[in-house]
Amino acid sequence: MDDESAQVEDHGDDTPSDGAAREPLTRGQIPGAMAELRDAHPRVPNEAADRYWLRMGLGLGLRQPERAKPLLDLLEGAAGVASPAPTEPDGGAAEAKLEGAAEPPAAEGQPVDAQPDGGAPAASVASEPGVPLRSMLLARSAGLPAVDKEAFDPEAVFGWAARVTRDEVLGMGRVVDDMLAEGLSADFTKGFAITWRAGLRLNDSDFDPLFHAFTELEVTVGGVLAGYDLRAQSRTQKPGVLGSMLGSLMMRSDTRTSEAGAVIERAGRSGQRGLIAMWNAWAALRFREAVPPELFNRLVRPWVTVVGRLPEP
């Protein structure tokens, strides 16, 4: 466990070690709370301020949602920002969807946005009628600044992937199979923007950082398929290979990625293609401005079919 993870665990509960409940934050305590967060999430050397605060906010929302919302409410109140709840067509107020909030019943034929235990969204996500929370988190993640291996926070970037269920991963893989049977190019079984780009010019698409991001998504999805968080486990595993998913063979030195690769291989073709489908949806959103609509729709089709709609650009 790294130092930052240890700090998060130390501060990630609103109940002190003596069992007494903490007093709710007041507006006057905002500076102290912010200082505590800065200590728990130190700024990386040469990290841009906007990126730092975004990373810290996402990390707080994903790991400590019970603290993120009260602090956000206080900050909005202190700034005089009104936060009216959006109104549904029937006139009822639709509350912002946060961890623990009940999802409205899905319309007939619409995928249900099931929430796996232990998942946590970003601190606050504006709701959009008919768009599942995980789709909104996916879109927000894809819009983060360019991938930086040194400052990469997989729990913040791929928190949306941890909320997908095993059946949904396999279901997305089966959708890819159906698309291939319809004549889809085999390119769609590989990582878009890593091994193929459909001849497009994609900004911020350097192979090394993108491949690093893919391996972190692989660990996340491997945990979903395994039923436990691979980043929280320390197991010894013989190095495996990434296989044909990325069109190359590559030895693994990280035990987490070794185990993730073994789990995904055991899940079979549906698990492997489900991982690729999730990556391709993220990559399609990340490079949306450069991707033609027809290609974009094919890249995100497995996600949309199994999980639900994506937010409008």
Side-chain angles (χ1 to χ4, degrees):
M1 179 183 298
D2 57 27
D3 293 338
E4 182 174 338
S5 298
Q7 289 174 313
V8 169
E9 289 187 3
D10 289 341
H11 299 287
D13 188 350
D14 275 345
T15 303
S17 58
D18 60 7
R22 288 184 179 177
E23 293 295 326
L25 285 173
T26 64
R27 191 170 302 179
Q29 293 174 313
I30 290 178
M34 297 300 291
E36 181 182 349
L37 289 174
R38 284 195 297 271
D39 291 340
H41 302 270
R43 187 170 176 178
V44 177
N46 300 321
E47 183 177 17
D50 287 348
R51 180 186 179 87
Y52 168 63
W53 287 106
L54 178 61
R55 176 171 63 84
M56 189 172 76
L58 287 172
L60 175 65
L62 287 165
R63 299 168 182 169
Q64 305 176 50
E66 73 287 344
R67 301 189 67 197
K69 187 177 188 306
L71 182 58
L72 179 64
D73 290 343
L74 285 168
L75 289 169
E76 288 181 337
V81 179
S83 302
T87 303
E88 296 289 348
D90 61 1
E95 296 181 353
K97 299 175 182 177
L98 296 167
E99 181 66 17
E103 292 281 342
E108 184 176 355
Q110 177 182 329
V112 177
D113 187 24
Q115 306 300 331
D117 293 339
S124 176
V125 179
S127 62
E128 185 174 325
V131 178
L133 173 59
R134 288 170 297 170
S135 290
M136 292 188 285
L137 292 172
L138 166 60
R140 170 175 285 190
S141 165
L144 291 174
V147 176
D148 182 345
K149 289 178 60 176
E150 300 301 322
F152 194 86
D153 185 344
E155 293 182 1
V157 178
F158 295 130
W160 55 271
R163 299 171 67 87
V164 174
T165 68
R166 175 185 173 85
D167 286 346
E168 287 171 333
V169 175
L170 299 178
M172 282 185 264
R174 288 190 289 269
V175 172
V176 174
D177 287 339
D178 292 342
M179 295 171 70
L180 291 170
E182 296 170 2
L184 185 72
S185 168
D187 283 341
F188 287 81
T189 63
K190 303 174 185 178
F192 178 68
I194 299 180
T195 62
W196 69 287
R197 303 183 184 185
L200 301 175
R201 188 180 186 88
L202 307 175
N203 294 329
D204 298 323
S205 60
D206 291 341
F207 175 83
D208 192 45
L210 279 179
F211 181 76
H212 175 75
F214 179 90
T215 59
E216 292 292 355
L217 177 62
E218 184 184 19
V219 173
T220 301
V221 175
V224 171
L225 293 172
Y228 58 87
D229 184 358
L230 297 183
R231 292 188 177 88
Q233 301 289 330
S234 178
R235 301 190 176 199
T236 303
Q237 195 86 322
K238 291 182 179 180
V241 296
L242 189 58
S244 61
M245 290 184 294
L246 293 177
S248 64
L249 300 179
M250 186 166 294
M251 297 302 292
R252 299 167 185 275
S253 59
D254 188 324
T255 57
R256 298 174 308 166
T257 54
S258 297
E259 185 170 4
V263 169
I264 292 169
E265 286 175 10
R266 287 196 298 270
R269 187 173 64 186
S270 293
Q272 295 164 13
R273 290 181 174 175
L275 164 65
I276 294 296
M278 293 173 68
W279 168 266
N280 285 348
W282 184 81
L285 284 164
R286 187 165 193 82
F287 302 109
R288 189 168 194 165
E289 292 184 359
V291 177
E294 183 178 1
L295 175 59
F296 178 86
N297 290 336
R298 288 177 177 175
L299 288 167
V300 303
R301 178 175 160 186
W303 177 275
V304 171
T305 300
V306 174
V307 179
R309 285 180 49 204
L310 291 166
E312 295 296 327

